């Protein structure tokens, strides 16, 4: 989704394209772009350096990030409905992404 939104912008703006423009075109928050780049680095790093249990590390980090992302929802400043909706959104994203971390990496030639 992000790449599909970014390609026309890169074609039009070249190196002047901003993450804010890409985020607006993709219909996401700008922070999502940075989080997705961090996630890709997390996926690649253990296998790049031959860590033996790369999948377990990725899943463990993903669960830890989910837990940290839920911490602000425990504070004051929002009603129960908002808290419930945000919690469900966080869990839905985790449910969609974490199973993908168990997949086998592509074979290298």
């Amino acid at each position: 989704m992000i790449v599909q939104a970014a390609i026309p912008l890169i074609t039009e703006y070249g190196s002047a394209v901003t993450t804010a423009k890409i985020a607006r075109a993709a219909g996401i928050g700008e922070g999502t772009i940075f989080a997705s780049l961090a996630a890709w680095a997390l996926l690649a790093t253990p296998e790049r350096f031959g860590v033996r249990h790369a999948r377990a590390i990725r899943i463990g980090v993903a669960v830890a990030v989910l837990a940290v992302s839920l911490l602000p929802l425990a504070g004051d400043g929002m009603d129960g409905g908002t808290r419930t909706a945000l919690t469900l959104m966080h869990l839905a994203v985790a449910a969609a992404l974490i199973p993908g971390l168990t997949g086998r990496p592509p074979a290298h030639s």
Side-chain angles (χ1 to χ4, degrees):
M1 175 172 91
I2 296 172
V3 173
Q4 292 170 338
I7 291 173
L9 293 172
I10 293 168
T11 303
E12 182 177 347
Y13 294 102
S15 62
V17 70
T18 65
T19 54
K21 288 178 184 174
I22 294 170
R24 272 193 302 276
I28 58 175
E30 192 172 359
T32 303
I33 293 173
F34 298 111
S36 66
L37 292 174
W40 277 108
L42 174 64
L43 285 171
T45 301
E47 288 174 3
R48 173 80 174 135
F49 295 104
V51 174
R52 191 169 172 195
H53 302 289
R55 283 184 200 89
I57 291 168
R58 289 192 312 253
I59 292 168
V61 170
V63 170
V65 168
L66 171 63
V68 169
S69 78
L70 293 172
L71 287 176
L73 302 178
D76 294 333
M78 66 184 84
D79 63 24
T82 301
R83 188 180 326 276
T84 300
L86 288 172
T87 300
L88 291 174
M89 288 190 320
H90 281 247
L91 294 174
V93 168
L97 294 180
I98 292 174
L101 298 176
T102 63
R104 295 197 89 36
H108 297 287
S109 309

